[in-house]
Amino acid sequence: MAKALFIICDGLGDRPIKEFNGKTPLEAAKTPNLDRLAREGITGLMHTLGVGIRPGSDTATLTLLGYEVDKYYSGRGPFEAAGIGMDLRHGDVAFRGNVATVDDNLIIKDRRAGRPADTVPYVEALGERVKVEDVEFFLKPGTGHRIGVVMHGPGLSAAITDPDPHEVGLRVVESSATDGSPEAKKTARILNAFLLKCHQVLKDIPENKKRVAEGKPPVNFVLVRGAGVVTKIPPFQERYHMKAACVAGAGLYKGVAKAVGFDILDCEGATGKPDTNVRNKFLRAKKAFEEGYEYVFVHVKAADNLAEDGNFEGKKAFIEKIDAASDVLLSMDDTVIALTGDHSTSCTLKAHTGDPVPIFMWGPGVRPDGVQEFGERPCMTGGLGHIKGSKVLQEILNLLGKQHLVGA
Ligand code: ZN
């Protein structure tokens, strides 16, 4: 059976770091296993969305899983909502949301309401279904201060501005239509009414009296952003004829994978944070093949967050942690394994960049290219050359012998 394991190490690529004598965190890290996989495999540099384009993690992941951003992406909200297990229907509008603290004039006092451990009491106070006019709002607690918000009803649009002003001291923005359509105007009007209703309900709940008495900011608002309309996406198995599963810690990646039809597998110790159990994730993927899956996507998050904090030592150490777990990959020699990042994240800029990301493919049928190490510079001369993100899955399918013949 043809099998492929696709691994994204979020924010893997980087720029030269002075403290590493001009090496990147990946080049400076001791990575004997990844170096061996690169040496026995074929390597290159991958431009996720195109040369010089800075990808978001959501659009990057969607592209690398084989789906066109211009067709299937309308905002981050649907993927976040899917990632916390909310049911989405075609035409729904979904948001990323979190609880916040505002004053009586709706000025933001704390964008995360002092980061409560969870949002269960607030969702309970509001109800899991809230009706405004002919639209139903579905709410679900996410991790920590996060909350999923989905609008379901006739004639909705995601062409609206974010109510979240993204800054403390500013007033909550009254959402408005960005394209002037009646659908967008309706969506904005009903969303504004819903958010005011949430504020009215939350400001007087006993939980908040308790929080204020404890010196904590009250949880009295639901901030939403990243509106996206839920589109029909052809499932991976239908499109690429492989039974697919995902092993991830962070919600967004589970959400993207779920939206394109992957089964989401539970994995003990997968946290999406630096303390995550990378070995367990690789072992879970290995087991998934035994369970009959043919295409497994593993997402490892923390290198990206560490780079966004400017923590190059931490990023290097985390890459070494991935390497230490990669003996599991070396034990899977009947499987095509591709490993890359969704984009580069620069520790000096503390941001995603459009710099290409090193990639290797390893396994049966692969033609090794003479590259000896896994890193930004060694992979510049690799046999995959400069590969576009949209071609990565195509090349994996080719290696598996699953590509259609063009011509006769
Ligand atoms: Zn990312």
Side-chain angles (χ1 to χ4, degrees), residues 213-278:
E214 289 167 355
K216 294 177 186 161
V219 174
N220 61 13
F221 204 78
V222 178
L223 265 186
V224 295
R225 61 191 180 282
V229 70
V230 176
T231 49
K232 264 207 178 70
I233 304 185
F236 191 87
Q237 189 164 355
E238 223 169 75
R239 206 173 189 199
Y240 298 112
H241 312 290
M242 299 182 89
K243 192 168 151 56
C246 160
V247 179
L252 174 64
Y253 310 95
K254 292 185 206 175
V256 176
K258 190 179 170 203
V260 301
F262 282 56
D263 288 341
I264 309 302
L265 306 179
D266 284 329
C267 177
E268 210 189 308
T271 62
K273 301 197 179 105
D275 68 355
T276 196
N277 192 331
V278 183

Short mmCIF file of all heavy atoms in Angstrom, two decimals, residues 213-278:
data_model
loop_
_atom_site.label_atom_id
_atom_site.label_comp_id
_atom_site.label_asym_id
_atom_site.label_seq_id
_atom_site.Cartn_x
_atom_site.Cartn_y
_atom_site.Cartn_z
N ALA A 213 -14.35 40.90 42.84
CA ALA A 213 -13.97 40.82 44.26
C ALA A 213 -12.56 40.24 44.42
O ALA A 213 -11.83 40.60 45.34
CB ALA A 213 -14.98 39.96 45.02
N GLU A 214 -12.18 39.38 43.51
CA GLU A 214 -10.82 38.77 43.55
C GLU A 214 -9.79 39.65 42.86
O GLU A 214 -8.63 39.25 42.70
CB GLU A 214 -10.85 37.39 42.87
CG GLU A 214 -11.58 36.32 43.66
CD GLU A 214 -11.86 35.05 42.83
OE1 GLU A 214 -11.58 35.05 41.61
OE2 GLU A 214 -12.37 34.09 43.43
N GLY A 215 -10.20 40.82 42.38
CA GLY A 215 -9.28 41.73 41.72
C GLY A 215 -9.01 41.39 40.27
O GLY A 215 -8.07 41.88 39.65
N LYS A 216 -9.86 40.50 39.69
CA LYS A 216 -9.69 40.13 38.29
C LYS A 216 -10.61 40.96 37.40
O LYS A 216 -11.68 41.38 37.84
CB LYS A 216 -10.03 38.64 38.09
CG LYS A 216 -9.08 37.69 38.79
CD LYS A 216 -9.55 36.26 38.61
CE LYS A 216 -8.70 35.30 39.42
NZ LYS A 216 -9.39 34.02 39.62
N PRO A 217 -10.23 41.16 36.14
CA PRO A 217 -11.13 41.89 35.23
C PRO A 217 -12.38 41.07 34.92
O PRO A 217 -12.29 39.85 34.76
CB PRO A 217 -10.29 42.09 33.97
CG PRO A 217 -9.20 41.08 34.04
CD PRO A 217 -8.98 40.74 35.48
N PRO A 218 -13.56 41.71 34.89
CA PRO A 218 -14.78 40.95 34.56
C PRO A 218 -14.76 40.47 33.10
O PRO A 218 -14.19 41.12 32.24
CB PRO A 218 -15.89 41.97 34.77
CG PRO A 218 -15.24 43.31 34.61
CD PRO A 218 -13.82 43.14 35.09
N VAL A 219 -15.40 39.32 32.90
CA VAL A 219 -15.56 38.77 31.53
C VAL A 219 -16.89 39.29 31.01
O VAL A 219 -17.94 38.75 31.34
CB VAL A 219 -15.54 37.23 31.57
CG1 VAL A 219 -15.85 36.66 30.19
CG2 VAL A 219 -14.19 36.72 32.07
N ASN A 220 -16.87 40.38 30.24
CA ASN A 220 -18.15 40.99 29.88
C ASN A 220 -18.30 41.30 28.39
O ASN A 220 -19.15 42.09 27.99
CB ASN A 220 -18.41 42.24 30.72
CG ASN A 220 -17.33 43.30 30.50
OD1 ASN A 220 -16.55 43.20 29.54
ND2 ASN A 220 -17.29 44.29 31.36
N PHE A 221 -17.45 40.67 27.57
CA PHE A 221 -17.62 40.89 26.13
C PHE A 221 -17.07 39.70 25.36
O PHE A 221 -16.22 38.97 25.86
CB PHE A 221 -16.90 42.18 25.68
CG PHE A 221 -17.48 42.75 24.42
CD1 PHE A 221 -18.67 43.47 24.44
CD2 PHE A 221 -16.86 42.54 23.19
CE1 PHE A 221 -19.24 43.97 23.27
CE2 PHE A 221 -17.42 43.05 22.01
CZ PHE A 221 -18.60 43.76 22.05
N VAL A 222 -17.62 39.50 24.16
CA VAL A 222 -17.09 38.47 23.25
C VAL A 222 -16.52 39.21 22.04
O VAL A 222 -17.25 39.83 21.28
CB VAL A 222 -18.19 37.48 22.81
CG1 VAL A 222 -17.62 36.46 21.83
CG2 VAL A 222 -18.80 36.78 24.02
N LEU A 223 -15.19 39.18 21.93
CA LEU A 223 -14.53 39.85 20.80
C LEU A 223 -14.40 38.86 19.66
O LEU A 223 -13.91 37.75 19.87
CB LEU A 223 -13.11 40.27 21.22
CG LEU A 223 -12.86 41.67 21.73
CD1 LEU A 223 -11.35 41.86 21.91
CD2 LEU A 223 -13.42 42.73 20.81
N VAL A 224 -14.83 39.25 18.47
CA VAL A 224 -14.71 38.33 17.34
C VAL A 224 -13.94 38.98 16.19
O VAL A 224 -13.91 40.20 16.05
CB VAL A 224 -16.08 37.83 16.84
CG1 VAL A 224 -16.76 36.99 17.90
CG2 VAL A 224 -16.96 38.97 16.39
N ARG A 225 -13.29 38.14 15.41
CA ARG A 225 -12.53 38.60 14.25
C ARG A 225 -12.38 37.45 13.26
O ARG A 225 -12.75 36.31 13.57
CB ARG A 225 -11.15 39.11 14.69
CG ARG A 225 -10.30 38.06 15.37
CD ARG A 225 -9.09 38.72 16.01
NE ARG A 225 -8.24 37.76 16.69
CZ ARG A 225 -8.49 37.22 17.88
NH1 ARG A 225 -9.60 37.53 18.54
NH2 ARG A 225 -7.66 36.36 18.42
N GLY A 226 -11.82 37.77 12.09
CA GLY A 226 -11.51 36.72 11.11
C GLY A 226 -12.75 36.05 10.52
O GLY A 226 -12.74 34.85 10.28
N ALA A 227 -13.82 36.83 10.27
CA ALA A 227 -15.04 36.25 9.70
C ALA A 227 -14.71 35.47 8.43
O ALA A 227 -13.96 35.94 7.59
CB ALA A 227 -16.04 37.35 9.38
N GLY A 228 -15.29 34.30 8.34
CA GLY A 228 -15.12 33.52 7.11
C GLY A 228 -16.39 32.76 6.83
O GLY A 228 -17.06 32.29 7.76
N VAL A 229 -16.77 32.68 5.57
CA VAL A 229 -17.98 31.93 5.23
C VAL A 229 -17.57 30.49 4.96
O VAL A 229 -16.50 30.22 4.40
CB VAL A 229 -18.72 32.58 4.04
CG1 VAL A 229 -17.96 32.42 2.73
CG2 VAL A 229 -20.14 32.03 3.91
N VAL A 230 -18.40 29.59 5.42
CA VAL A 230 -18.07 28.17 5.26
C VAL A 230 -18.40 27.74 3.83
O VAL A 230 -19.53 27.89 3.38
CB VAL A 230 -18.87 27.32 6.27
CG1 VAL A 230 -18.62 25.84 6.06
CG2 VAL A 230 -18.51 27.75 7.70
N THR A 231 -17.38 27.28 3.11
CA THR A 231 -17.58 26.86 1.72
C THR A 231 -17.56 25.34 1.67
O THR A 231 -17.00 24.68 2.54
CB THR A 231 -16.45 27.40 0.82
OG1 THR A 231 -15.21 27.09 1.43
CG2 THR A 231 -16.55 28.89 0.62
N LYS A 232 -18.15 24.81 0.62
CA LYS A 232 -18.12 23.36 0.40
C LYS A 232 -16.73 23.00 -0.11
O LYS A 232 -16.28 23.53 -1.12
CB LYS A 232 -19.16 22.96 -0.64
CG LYS A 232 -20.47 22.51 -0.04
CD LYS A 232 -21.19 21.53 -0.97
CE LYS A 232 -22.46 21.05 -0.32
NZ LYS A 232 -23.49 22.09 -0.22
N ILE A 233 -16.04 22.13 0.59
CA ILE A 233 -14.70 21.72 0.18
C ILE A 233 -14.74 20.24 -0.15
O ILE A 233 -15.17 19.43 0.68
CB ILE A 233 -13.68 22.01 1.31
CG1 ILE A 233 -13.73 23.49 1.71
CG2 ILE A 233 -12.28 21.61 0.87
CD1 ILE A 233 -12.68 23.92 2.73
N PRO A 234 -14.31 19.85 -1.34
CA PRO A 234 -14.30 18.42 -1.66
C PRO A 234 -13.32 17.69 -0.74
O PRO A 234 -12.18 18.11 -0.61
CB PRO A 234 -13.83 18.36 -3.12
CG PRO A 234 -13.19 19.68 -3.39
CD PRO A 234 -13.78 20.67 -2.44
N PRO A 235 -13.77 16.62 -0.08
CA PRO A 235 -12.90 15.93 0.88
C PRO A 235 -11.65 15.35 0.21
O PRO A 235 -11.69 14.95 -0.95
CB PRO A 235 -13.77 14.81 1.44
CG PRO A 235 -15.14 15.07 0.98
CD PRO A 235 -15.10 16.02 -0.17
N PHE A 236 -10.57 15.32 0.96
CA PHE A 236 -9.26 14.84 0.48
C PHE A 236 -9.37 13.46 -0.17
O PHE A 236 -8.80 13.21 -1.22
CB PHE A 236 -8.29 14.81 1.67
CG PHE A 236 -6.86 14.58 1.29
CD1 PHE A 236 -6.02 15.63 0.95
CD2 PHE A 236 -6.32 13.30 1.29
CE1 PHE A 236 -4.70 15.42 0.61
CE2 PHE A 236 -4.99 13.08 0.94
CZ PHE A 236 -4.18 14.15 0.60
N GLN A 237 -10.13 12.59 0.48
CA GLN A 237 -10.21 11.22 -0.03
C GLN A 237 -10.85 11.17 -1.42
O GLN A 237 -10.46 10.39 -2.28
CB GLN A 237 -11.00 10.32 0.95
CG GLN A 237 -10.91 8.86 0.56
CD GLN A 237 -11.32 7.91 1.68
OE1 GLN A 237 -11.60 8.32 2.80
NE2 GLN A 237 -11.34 6.63 1.38
N GLU A 238 -11.84 12.07 -1.64
CA GLU A 238 -12.52 12.14 -2.92
C GLU A 238 -11.59 12.73 -3.98
O GLU A 238 -11.54 12.30 -5.11
CB GLU A 238 -13.71 13.08 -2.75
CG GLU A 238 -14.99 12.63 -3.40
CD GLU A 238 -16.11 13.54 -2.90
OE1 GLU A 238 -16.18 14.70 -3.35
OE2 GLU A 238 -16.88 13.08 -2.03
N ARG A 239 -10.84 13.74 -3.56
CA ARG A 239 -10.00 14.48 -4.50
C ARG A 239 -8.69 13.75 -4.80
O ARG A 239 -8.21 13.77 -5.92
CB ARG A 239 -9.70 15.85 -3.89
CG ARG A 239 -9.42 16.89 -4.92
CD ARG A 239 -9.29 18.27 -4.30
NE ARG A 239 -9.23 19.24 -5.38
CZ ARG A 239 -8.77 20.47 -5.26
NH1 ARG A 239 -8.34 20.89 -4.08
NH2 ARG A 239 -8.72 21.29 -6.27
N TYR A 240 -8.10 13.14 -3.79
CA TYR A 240 -6.77 12.55 -3.96
C TYR A 240 -6.75 11.04 -3.72
O TYR A 240 -5.68 10.42 -3.74
CB TYR A 240 -5.76 13.26 -3.05
CG TYR A 240 -5.62 14.74 -3.40
CD1 TYR A 240 -6.08 15.72 -2.52
CD2 TYR A 240 -5.06 15.13 -4.61
CE1 TYR A 240 -5.97 17.07 -2.85
CE2 TYR A 240 -4.95 16.47 -4.94
CZ TYR A 240 -5.40 17.43 -4.06
OH TYR A 240 -5.29 18.76 -4.39
N HIS A 241 -7.90 10.47 -3.41
CA HIS A 241 -8.04 9.00 -3.34
C HIS A 241 -7.14 8.36 -2.30
O HIS A 241 -6.56 7.30 -2.53
CB HIS A 241 -7.83 8.37 -4.73
CG HIS A 241 -8.65 9.07 -5.78
ND1 HIS A 241 -10.02 8.98 -5.83
CD2 HIS A 241 -8.29 9.92 -6.78
CE1 HIS A 241 -10.48 9.73 -6.81
NE2 HIS A 241 -9.45 10.31 -7.40
N MET A 242 -6.98 9.03 -1.17
CA MET A 242 -6.23 8.43 -0.07
C MET A 242 -6.99 8.72 1.22
O MET A 242 -7.51 9.82 1.41
CB MET A 242 -4.83 9.03 0.04
CG MET A 242 -3.97 8.80 -1.20
SD MET A 242 -2.32 9.48 -0.98
CE MET A 242 -1.51 8.08 -0.28
N LYS A 243 -7.03 7.72 2.10
CA LYS A 243 -7.69 7.90 3.41
C LYS A 243 -6.73 8.68 4.30
O LYS A 243 -5.58 8.24 4.52
CB LYS A 243 -7.98 6.52 3.98
CG LYS A 243 -8.91 6.50 5.18
CD LYS A 243 -9.34 5.05 5.44
CE LYS A 243 -9.65 4.75 6.89
NZ LYS A 243 -10.63 5.57 7.55
N ALA A 244 -7.18 9.83 4.79
CA ALA A 244 -6.25 10.78 5.42
C ALA A 244 -6.58 11.07 6.87
O ALA A 244 -7.75 11.11 7.26
CB ALA A 244 -6.25 12.08 4.63
N ALA A 245 -5.52 11.26 7.66
CA ALA A 245 -5.69 11.59 9.08
C ALA A 245 -4.69 12.65 9.48
O ALA A 245 -3.66 12.85 8.84
CB ALA A 245 -5.51 10.35 9.94
N CYS A 246 -5.02 13.35 10.58
CA CYS A 246 -4.18 14.45 11.07
C CYS A 246 -3.84 14.24 12.54
O CYS A 246 -4.70 13.86 13.34
CB CYS A 246 -4.94 15.76 10.89
SG CYS A 246 -4.36 17.13 11.89
N VAL A 247 -2.57 14.48 12.87
CA VAL A 247 -2.13 14.49 14.27
C VAL A 247 -1.59 15.90 14.55
O VAL A 247 -0.60 16.31 13.95
CB VAL A 247 -1.01 13.46 14.52
CG1 VAL A 247 -0.53 13.51 15.97
CG2 VAL A 247 -1.48 12.05 14.15
N ALA A 248 -2.28 16.65 15.41
CA ALA A 248 -1.87 18.02 15.70
C ALA A 248 -2.24 18.37 17.13
O ALA A 248 -3.12 17.74 17.73
CB ALA A 248 -2.53 18.98 14.73
N GLY A 249 -1.57 19.38 17.67
CA GLY A 249 -1.91 19.86 19.01
C GLY A 249 -2.77 21.11 18.95
O GLY A 249 -3.78 21.23 19.64
N ALA A 250 -2.38 22.05 18.11
CA ALA A 250 -3.06 23.35 18.07
C ALA A 250 -4.34 23.28 17.24
O ALA A 250 -4.40 22.58 16.23
CB ALA A 250 -2.10 24.40 17.50
N GLY A 251 -5.35 24.03 17.67
CA GLY A 251 -6.69 23.95 17.11
C GLY A 251 -6.79 24.30 15.63
O GLY A 251 -7.48 23.63 14.87
N LEU A 252 -6.09 25.36 15.22
CA LEU A 252 -6.22 25.84 13.84
C LEU A 252 -5.90 24.74 12.83
O LEU A 252 -6.56 24.60 11.81
CB LEU A 252 -5.29 27.04 13.62
CG LEU A 252 -5.20 27.57 12.19
CD1 LEU A 252 -6.55 28.12 11.72
CD2 LEU A 252 -4.12 28.63 12.06
N TYR A 253 -4.87 23.96 13.12
CA TYR A 253 -4.39 22.95 12.16
C TYR A 253 -5.34 21.77 12.11
O TYR A 253 -5.60 21.20 11.04
CB TYR A 253 -2.94 22.57 12.49
CG TYR A 253 -2.16 23.85 12.66
CD1 TYR A 253 -1.96 24.43 13.92
CD2 TYR A 253 -1.77 24.56 11.54
CE1 TYR A 253 -1.35 25.66 14.05
CE2 TYR A 253 -1.16 25.80 11.66
CZ TYR A 253 -0.95 26.34 12.92
OH TYR A 253 -0.37 27.56 13.04
N LYS A 254 -5.87 21.41 13.27
CA LYS A 254 -6.92 20.39 13.28
C LYS A 254 -8.11 20.89 12.48
O LYS A 254 -8.75 20.13 11.75
CB LYS A 254 -7.39 20.12 14.72
CG LYS A 254 -6.35 19.45 15.61
CD LYS A 254 -7.00 19.14 16.96
CE LYS A 254 -5.96 19.08 18.05
NZ LYS A 254 -6.53 18.91 19.38
N GLY A 255 -8.38 22.20 12.61
CA GLY A 255 -9.53 22.79 11.92
C GLY A 255 -9.37 22.75 10.41
O GLY A 255 -10.30 22.40 9.69
N VAL A 256 -8.17 23.13 9.93
CA VAL A 256 -7.94 23.12 8.48
C VAL A 256 -8.04 21.68 7.97
O VAL A 256 -8.71 21.40 6.97
CB VAL A 256 -6.56 23.72 8.13
CG1 VAL A 256 -6.29 23.61 6.63
CG2 VAL A 256 -6.47 25.18 8.57
N ALA A 257 -7.39 20.75 8.69
CA ALA A 257 -7.39 19.35 8.26
C ALA A 257 -8.81 18.79 8.26
O ALA A 257 -9.24 18.10 7.34
CB ALA A 257 -6.47 18.52 9.15
N LYS A 258 -9.57 19.11 9.32
CA LYS A 258 -10.95 18.62 9.41
C LYS A 258 -11.79 19.18 8.27
O LYS A 258 -12.58 18.47 7.66
CB LYS A 258 -11.55 19.02 10.76
CG LYS A 258 -12.86 18.34 11.04
CD LYS A 258 -13.45 18.72 12.38
CE LYS A 258 -14.88 18.20 12.47
NZ LYS A 258 -15.68 18.92 13.44
N ALA A 259 -11.58 20.46 7.96
CA ALA A 259 -12.37 21.11 6.90
C ALA A 259 -12.13 20.45 5.54
O ALA A 259 -13.02 20.46 4.70
CB ALA A 259 -12.04 22.59 6.83
N VAL A 260 -10.93 19.90 5.32
CA VAL A 260 -10.67 19.25 4.03
C VAL A 260 -10.82 17.73 4.12
O VAL A 260 -10.36 17.00 3.25
CB VAL A 260 -9.29 19.65 3.43
CG1 VAL A 260 -9.22 21.16 3.22
CG2 VAL A 260 -8.13 19.19 4.30
N GLY A 261 -11.46 17.27 5.19
CA GLY A 261 -11.89 15.88 5.23
C GLY A 261 -10.94 14.90 5.92
O GLY A 261 -11.13 13.69 5.81
N PHE A 262 -9.93 15.40 6.62
CA PHE A 262 -9.05 14.49 7.38
C PHE A 262 -9.74 14.06 8.67
O PHE A 262 -10.45 14.85 9.30
CB PHE A 262 -7.75 15.20 7.77
CG PHE A 262 -6.73 15.33 6.67
CD1 PHE A 262 -7.05 15.94 5.46
CD2 PHE A 262 -5.43 14.87 6.85
CE1 PHE A 262 -6.10 16.07 4.45
CE2 PHE A 262 -4.48 15.00 5.85
CZ PHE A 262 -4.81 15.60 4.64
N ASP A 263 -9.51 12.82 9.08
CA ASP A 263 -9.91 12.42 10.43
C ASP A 263 -8.89 13.00 11.40
O ASP A 263 -7.68 12.97 11.14
CB ASP A 263 -9.90 10.89 10.56
CG ASP A 263 -11.06 10.25 9.80
OD1 ASP A 263 -12.03 10.98 9.50
OD2 ASP A 263 -10.98 9.05 9.50
N ILE A 264 -9.38 13.52 12.54
CA ILE A 264 -8.46 14.10 13.53
C ILE A 264 -8.21 13.04 14.60
O ILE A 264 -9.15 12.57 15.24
CB ILE A 264 -9.06 15.37 14.16
CG1 ILE A 264 -9.55 16.34 13.08
CG2 ILE A 264 -8.05 16.03 15.10
CD1 ILE A 264 -8.50 16.80 12.09
N LEU A 265 -6.95 12.66 14.76
CA LEU A 265 -6.61 11.59 15.71
C LEU A 265 -6.20 12.19 17.05
O LEU A 265 -5.48 13.19 17.10
CB LEU A 265 -5.46 10.75 15.16
CG LEU A 265 -5.67 10.16 13.76
CD1 LEU A 265 -4.45 9.37 13.33
CD2 LEU A 265 -6.91 9.26 13.73
N ASP A 266 -6.67 11.57 18.13
CA ASP A 266 -6.22 11.99 19.46
C ASP A 266 -4.79 11.53 19.66
O ASP A 266 -4.41 10.45 19.23
CB ASP A 266 -7.10 11.35 20.54
CG ASP A 266 -8.44 12.05 20.64
OD1 ASP A 266 -8.47 13.28 20.37
OD2 ASP A 266 -9.44 11.39 20.95
N CYS A 267 -4.00 12.35 20.32
CA CYS A 267 -2.62 11.98 20.58
C CYS A 267 -2.21 12.52 21.94
O CYS A 267 -2.24 13.73 22.17
CB CYS A 267 -1.71 12.54 19.50
SG CYS A 267 0.03 12.20 19.81
N GLU A 268 -1.88 11.61 22.84
CA GLU A 268 -1.50 12.00 24.19
C GLU A 268 -0.23 12.85 24.16
O GLU A 268 0.73 12.52 23.47
CB GLU A 268 -1.26 10.74 25.02
CG GLU A 268 -1.58 10.95 26.49
CD GLU A 268 -1.14 9.76 27.32
OE1 GLU A 268 -1.51 8.63 26.96
OE2 GLU A 268 -0.42 9.99 28.30
N GLY A 269 -0.27 13.97 24.86
CA GLY A 269 0.92 14.81 24.97
C GLY A 269 1.10 15.80 23.84
O GLY A 269 2.07 16.55 23.82
N ALA A 270 0.17 15.81 22.87
CA ALA A 270 0.25 16.81 21.79
C ALA A 270 -0.39 18.10 22.29
O ALA A 270 -1.60 18.17 22.45
CB ALA A 270 -0.47 16.30 20.54
N THR A 271 0.43 19.11 22.57
CA THR A 271 -0.09 20.32 23.21
C THR A 271 -0.06 21.54 22.31
O THR A 271 -0.66 22.56 22.61
CB THR A 271 0.74 20.67 24.47
OG1 THR A 271 2.09 20.93 24.06
CG2 THR A 271 0.71 19.53 25.48
N GLY A 272 0.72 21.48 21.21
CA GLY A 272 0.91 22.68 20.39
C GLY A 272 1.88 23.67 21.02
O GLY A 272 2.02 24.78 20.54
N LYS A 273 2.53 23.25 22.09
CA LYS A 273 3.45 24.15 22.81
C LYS A 273 4.85 23.50 22.88
O LYS A 273 5.01 22.34 22.50
CB LYS A 273 2.93 24.40 24.22
CG LYS A 273 1.55 25.01 24.25
CD LYS A 273 1.23 25.61 25.61
CE LYS A 273 -0.15 26.23 25.60
NZ LYS A 273 -1.16 25.43 26.31
N PRO A 274 5.87 24.24 23.39
CA PRO A 274 7.22 23.64 23.44
C PRO A 274 7.29 22.35 24.25
O PRO A 274 8.17 21.52 24.01
CB PRO A 274 8.07 24.75 24.09
CG PRO A 274 7.37 26.02 23.74
CD PRO A 274 5.90 25.68 23.76
N ASP A 275 6.35 22.14 25.18
CA ASP A 275 6.37 20.92 26.00
C ASP A 275 5.72 19.73 25.28
O ASP A 275 5.58 18.65 25.85
CB ASP A 275 5.67 21.16 27.34
CG ASP A 275 4.16 21.37 27.19
OD1 ASP A 275 3.67 21.42 26.03
OD2 ASP A 275 3.49 21.52 28.22
N THR A 276 5.33 19.91 24.04
CA THR A 276 4.60 18.86 23.32
C THR A 276 5.43 17.59 23.20
O THR A 276 6.66 17.64 23.23
CB THR A 276 4.17 19.36 21.91
OG1 THR A 276 3.18 18.48 21.40
CG2 THR A 276 5.35 19.39 20.95
N ASN A 277 4.76 16.46 23.05
CA ASN A 277 5.46 15.19 22.92
C ASN A 277 5.59 14.82 21.43
O ASN A 277 4.73 14.17 20.87
CB ASN A 277 4.71 14.10 23.70
CG ASN A 277 5.53 12.84 23.85
OD1 ASN A 277 6.37 12.53 23.00
ND2 ASN A 277 5.30 12.12 24.93
N VAL A 278 6.68 15.30 20.81
CA VAL A 278 6.85 15.10 19.37
C VAL A 278 6.94 13.61 19.04
O VAL A 278 6.36 13.13 18.07
CB VAL A 278 8.12 15.82 18.87
CG1 VAL A 278 8.26 15.66 17.35
CG2 VAL A 278 8.08 17.30 19.22
#
